[in-house]
Amino acid sequence: MNEHLFKILVIGDGEVGKSSFLHRYVNGQFNKTYKMTMGVDYSLKLLYWSDKEKVRLHLWDIAGTKHFSVDRWMAGRHNERCVFPTGQERFISMNRIYYKGALGCVVMFDVTNPTSFRSCRHWKQDLDNKAMLPNGDSIPCILLANKCDLAQRAVTTDSIKRFSEANGFVTWMEISVKENMNVGEAMRRLVQEIMSV
Ligand code: GDP
């Protein structure tokens, strides 16, 4: 049996549901109080892709994507979550080391939070600037619109579609980690894309 190892990143603003997404995908659970500390968190998932192929996914929940204040970080209170004061830069550029060797990426936002949607442009640009496949192409990336179970939706399907097409995403999907809607499907779509590169 052929075995593949794929490093996959999950990036996006803080609180959009990245950790919950991986927890759901890997452990099959949604836990409202499930919280990550600052730092890179890794999980592994083994997929029997076909009777000839086995895929090990090395999933990286990227550090530094929570909104935290640098002052608090410096003071060692880095496990606290807080939002930057209005007007300050919210986007945190990631160190190249996080992107190294990645073969696929999920960029996630929260449909009830338009700012997290706008940030996806930066996340995708940062990814394309710092990560590429050995042949120089940009790595396959999918756009996930999370929290579709919530009524107070603020980003339309049409704008997600247009944004995805204009910014080089392989595809986009509306998901709910809470309702377990499209979580496995999204990852299957990404793995399929990586396999076909
Ligand atoms: P991260 O900072 O991007 O890793 O976000 P978390 O995974 O910590 O999630 C932030 C908050 O959103 C938590 O309170 C989660 O319970 C909640 N959350 C995550 N996914 C969903 C979802 O699909 N629907 C709803 N309603 N809440 C969600």
Side-chain angles (χ1 to χ4, degrees):
M1 188 177 268
N2 285 335
E3 193 170 320
H4 307 272
L5 176 66
F6 296 159
K7 173 180 173 180
I8 294 180
L9 311 172
V10 183
I11 56 180
D13 279 1
E15 296 286 319
V16 299
K18 301 181 297 299
S19 306
S20 305
F21 173 76
L22 287 180
H23 189 51
R24 167 70 87 189
Y25 181 59
V26 174
N27 306 312
Q29 291 171 354
F30 179 77
N31 178 349
K32 281 190 90 160
T33 58
Y34 182 74
K35 284 276 180 268
M36 287 288 171
T37 53
M38 286 291 298
V40 184
D41 192 70
Y42 311 94
S43 15
L44 278 168
K45 171 102 172 170
L46 180 62
L47 290 180
Y48 288 92
W49 190 252
S50 69
D51 47 1
K52 294 200 189 72
E53 275 163 321
K54 196 157 79 170
V55 180
R56 263 178 221 283
L57 301 179
H58 196 192
L59 303 157
W60 289 46
D61 187 4
I62 296 292
T65 62
K66 316 290 183 206
H67 292 158
F68 65 93
S69 108
V70 174
D71 290 349
R72 287 183 192 225
W73 173 256
M74 299 298 279
R77 295 163 67 194
H78 50 271
N79 286 338
E80 277 182 47
R81 288 180 176 213
C82 52
V83 176
F84 284 126
T86 323
Q88 267 189 268
E89 180 63 86
R90 291 163 63 95
F91 177 70
I92 303 159
S93 176
M94 301 305 302
N95 192 303
R96 274 176 198 279
I97 199 84
Y98 296 116
Y99 291 112
K100 198 170 185 317
L103 294 179
C105 183
V106 170
V107 175
M108 185 177 290
F109 69 95
D110 168 354
V111 288
T112 68
N113 175 353
T115 305
S116 73
F117 178 52
R118 283 192 291 275
S119 293
C120 290
R121 189 183 308 280
H122 300 290
W123 287 114
K124 181 68 165 63
Q125 275 167 5
D126 201 44
L127 174 77
D128 289 343
N129 288 339
K130 293 175 183 165
M132 58 180 72
L133 297 175
N135 67 5
D137 288 348
S138 50
I139 69 173
C141 186
I142 58 171
L143 178 67
L144 297 186
N146 189 30
K147 306 197 188 179
C148 287
D149 56 283
L150 294 175
Q152 62 272 33
R153 184 171 172 143
V155 183
T156 65
T157 298
D158 195 47
S159 57
I160 300 169
K161 181 172 181 289
R162 275 187 278 118
F163 175 79
S164 167
E165 287 168 0
N167 288 275
F169 288 90
V170 162
T171 193
W172 58 277
M173 271 191 201
E174 295 181 326
I175 71 165
S176 164
V177 174
K178 186 178 178 191
E179 304 291 323
N180 200 12
M181 180 187 104
N182 278 342
V183 171
E185 288 80 355
M187 289 304 294
R188 260 196 300 281
R189 183 69 184 81
L190 182 61
V191 171
Q192 200 172 42
E193 195 61 33
I194 299 171
M195 298 286 273
S196 69
V197 166

